[in-house]
Amino acid sequence: MSSKTLYGPFKQLLTMNGLPLKGSLKDEQLEILTNAGIIVQDGKVLDLGSYSDLENIHSDSEKTFNNNSEQIALPSFIDCHTHICWGGNRVNDYSMRVAGKSYLEIAASGGGISDTVTETRKASEDKLVELILDRAKQHLQRGITTIEVKSGYGLNLDDELKMLRAIKKANEKIAVRLIPTFLGAHIKPKDFDGSHGEYLDFLLQEVVPIIVEEKLATRADIFVEEGAFDIDVARIYAKNLKLKGFDVTMHVDQFHPGGSKLAIEEGSVSADHLEFTDDESCELFGRSETVAVALPGASLGLGMQFTPCRKLLDNNACVAIATDWNPGSAPMGDLITQAAILGASEKLTIAETLAGITFRAARALRIEEGILRKGDEAAFTVFETDDFRNIFYQQGQLKPSATIIGGDSFEF
Ligand code: NIG
Ligand code: FE
């Protein structure tokens, strides 16, 4: 029998168990075990509950983390929308934006995403692996153990495949779980000779079959926006991807409303951004299975309004929160800071914010994570504090002291 490890004692252990997938939450609904511990065996949660009971029942276990009573633990976090595979940087865009040019104006004049495409095409696959690993390690220190990573800065056959292969390689080299998403439909690249519809056909006919063959991704994303793809071509693309067995997700309503209706109609697993989502769409989310993903890092990066999370939750939507970490709109990448600021601005309860970066973020990726239960993979993070609410109260300044994923334990 393999060895057991007893983690704790934790003054508070939040399980996130027993909460609804959709709609508003009160902090009183959170399950908080006090003076608690977790038994881990073979990378899984064997048992959890009262520390002294666990000490008795599992007297053969090895104790760890038992030198600090002022610590709490909770499921580790999930960042369900990032673009952390990129080359170069976009500080020039930043200086133009703060001097008054808009994100869409910079894109329309040939900069923005296209600049990152140029730099990412120049980078080798190994260089991209190195860059992804560096960013994923930063996320691990923030208590994040699952990260969605999009392609979308290659925008031709070779460079989209290079990005997805780099994500796959990076995933094999780090304990953090990386979930790839094909975003060949980020924008139509400058060097593609044809219409937007023809570009999407090229992706479906030339790129997607290789992605399927090499098992590089089972999720695909499209940016529905002025200057990117319109609703009509996006609908055809989404239908075709679903026929090929892909989960579809979409960047919608970032600057104009409308795309989220398409995402819901097409059964997208998530619809992300939503800064300009209108009341009617907020209601539609409440009646759908599509997760509404707020990206406060993009609002902060571009100096724009936040996603109407309060309205979405009050309409019974499933709301997740992610960083959108990318070199253009969201260079910060700090999930807790961003979730805390969004929560303060949108009046989200701590339970709603926590749900948005744990099991509701897992739902956006259609994975079962973000809850601490017996039998699940051990994925939790530890903070040196006596009250879990300090995580958001301190707006990202309180950092995890350790993160556990499977059999691996990382102390910071
Ligand atoms: O989610 N809006 C589209 N895509 C990214 C930004 C990509 C970039 O600017 O490099 C986003 O904001
Ligand atoms: Fe994005």
Side-chain angles (χ1 to χ4, degrees), residues 81-83 150 183 186 221 251 272-273 295 324 326 329:
H81 179 140
T82 84
H83 306 250
K150 300 177 194 295
L183 178 56
H186 204 175
D221 194 346
H251 282 69
D272 304 30
H273 271 295
L295 304 171
D324 197 19
N326 74 70
S329 60

Side-chain angles (χ1 to χ4, degrees), residues 20 26 31 50 58 101-102 129 132 169 175 205 208 215 235 240 257 261 288 297-298 340 360:
K26 297 259 175 280
E31 179 179 63
S50 151
H58 304 277
K101 266 212 159 91
S102 76
V129 172
I132 297 166
K169 264 197 194 165
Q205 282 158 24
V208 167
K215 295 191 173 59
R235 191 185 300 280
N240 277 300
K261 280 200 198 81
S288 84
R360 288 179 173 176

Side-chain angles (χ1 to χ4, degrees), residues 4-248:
K4 297 180 195 171
T5 307
L6 169 57
Y7 289 86
F10 300 113
K11 188 143 190 196
Q12 299 173 326
L13 174 59
L14 262 77
T15 65
M16 301 308 286
N17 202 7
L19 296 168
L21 206 47
K22 295 172 69 174
S24 57
L25 295 170
K26 297 259 175 280
D27 290 353
E28 296 71 40
Q29 290 174 263
L30 291 170
E31 179 179 63
I32 306 170
L33 311 179
T34 50
N35 302 318
I38 306 174
I39 300 274
V40 176
Q41 187 177 40
D42 295 329
K44 295 204 160 135
V45 177
L46 179 71
D47 206 352
L48 76 177
S50 151
Y51 189 82
S52 50
D53 286 356
L54 293 176
E55 265 183 316
N56 290 331
I57 302 166
H58 304 277
S59 51
D60 53 341
S61 61
E62 185 193 325
K63 289 183 192 163
T64 185
F65 285 47
N66 57 347
N67 49 6
N68 183 357
S69 59
E70 297 287 279
Q71 59 186 358
I72 64 108
L74 74 175
S76 51
F77 308 125
I78 296 163
D79 191 352
C80 66
H81 179 140
T82 84
H83 306 250
I84 60 168
C85 179
W86 84 78
N89 85 31
R90 298 253 289 284
V91 70
N92 286 336
D93 286 21
Y94 172 74
S95 50
M96 281 193 272
R97 279 202 311 274
V98 291
K101 266 212 159 91
S102 76
Y103 181 83
L104 289 180
E105 282 166 355
I106 294 167
S109 65
I113 292 172
S114 291
D115 278 346
T116 303
V117 171
T118 305
E119 294 306 314
T120 307
R121 284 180 181 178
K122 277 189 216 159
S124 67
E125 188 177 306
D126 285 347
K127 179 66 192 171
L128 291 178
V129 172
E130 193 186 310
L131 290 166
I132 297 166
L133 287 174
D134 176 57
R135 293 166 188 146
K137 278 180 198 151
Q138 291 180 51
H139 254 20
L140 181 63
Q141 292 181 9
R142 297 175 175 129
I144 298 163
T145 52
T146 294
I147 311 171
E148 186 258 14
V149 189
K150 300 177 194 295
S151 67
Y153 293 123
L155 308 188
N156 60 28
L157 177 70
D158 288 348
D159 291 297
E160 279 298 306
L161 293 175
K162 177 181 74 181
M163 289 188 76
L164 290 169
R165 289 176 186 138
I167 298 165
K168 190 174 182 177
K169 264 197 194 165
N171 190 38
E172 287 158 7
K173 288 177 191 270
I174 191 163
V176 172
R177 181 173 176 198
L178 305 179
I179 298 187
T181 301
F182 173 52
L183 178 56
H186 204 175
I187 54 168
K188 178 168 77 80
K190 286 180 189 167
D191 57 356
F192 183 83
D193 190 15
S195 68
H196 284 75
E198 284 164 348
Y199 175 66
L200 296 180
D201 283 346
F202 152 75
L203 295 179
L204 287 165
Q205 282 158 24
E206 314 268 327
V207 188
V208 167
I210 302 177
I211 293 174
V212 172
E213 193 186 306
E214 287 189 32
K215 295 191 173 59
L216 292 172
T218 57
R219 296 165 41 85
D221 194 346
I222 180 163
F223 183 19
V224 182
E225 187 52 70
E226 207 177 83
F229 297 93
D230 68 28
I231 288 183
D232 294 340
V233 292
R235 191 185 300 280
I236 299 167
Y237 185 62
K239 284 190 192 300
N240 277 300
L241 284 165
K242 283 188 290 175
L243 287 174
K244 291 177 190 293
F246 277 72
D247 276 347
V248 173

Side-chain angles (χ1 to χ4, degrees), residues 239-403:
K239 284 190 192 300
N240 277 300
L241 284 165
K242 283 188 290 175
L243 287 174
K244 291 177 190 293
F246 277 72
D247 276 347
V248 173
T249 175
M250 298 188 187
H251 282 69
V252 286
D253 298 357
Q254 186 179 9
F255 302 102
H256 301 92
S260 58
K261 280 200 198 81
L262 167 75
I264 293 166
E265 282 164 12
E266 291 306 322
S268 298
V269 291
S270 75
D272 304 30
H273 271 295
L274 313 176
E275 291 88 332
F276 280 85
T277 295
D278 57 21
D279 289 358
E280 194 192 334
S281 288
C282 287
E283 284 171 28
L284 292 175
F285 272 109
R287 294 198 291 273
S288 84
E289 297 300 308
T290 299
V291 178
V293 181
L295 304 171
S299 300
L300 293 166
L302 300 181
M304 280 176 34
Q305 64 211 50
F306 288 110
T307 300
C309 293
R310 183 70 270 145
K311 207 172 272 171
L312 283 159
L313 287 164
D314 289 344
N315 276 288
N316 201 40
C318 178
V319 174
I321 304 167
T323 62
D324 197 19
W325 198 2
N326 74 70
S329 60
M332 184 209 285
D334 187 332
L335 183 61
I336 299 296
T337 302
Q338 295 170 5
I341 294 170
L342 175 71
S345 176
E346 276 294 304
K347 309 289 175 244
L348 306 182
T349 65
I350 294 173
E352 288 165 340
T353 306
L354 272 178
I357 59 174
T358 54
F359 67 97
R360 288 179 173 176
R363 179 68 187 158
L365 300 173
R366 295 298 190 266
I367 55 174
E368 298 285 326
E369 288 182 18
I371 303 176
L372 270 172
R373 279 176 305 209
K374 281 189 202 176
D376 286 351
E377 185 190 40
F380 56 94
T381 193
V382 178
F383 288 84
E384 286 188 2
T385 180
D386 60 351
D387 184 337
F388 72 95
R389 297 176 304 174
N390 285 319
I391 297 171
F392 296 117
Y393 171 61
Q394 296 187 23
Q395 296 190 303
Q397 293 307 299
L398 181 68
K399 314 277 184 208
S401 54
T403 298

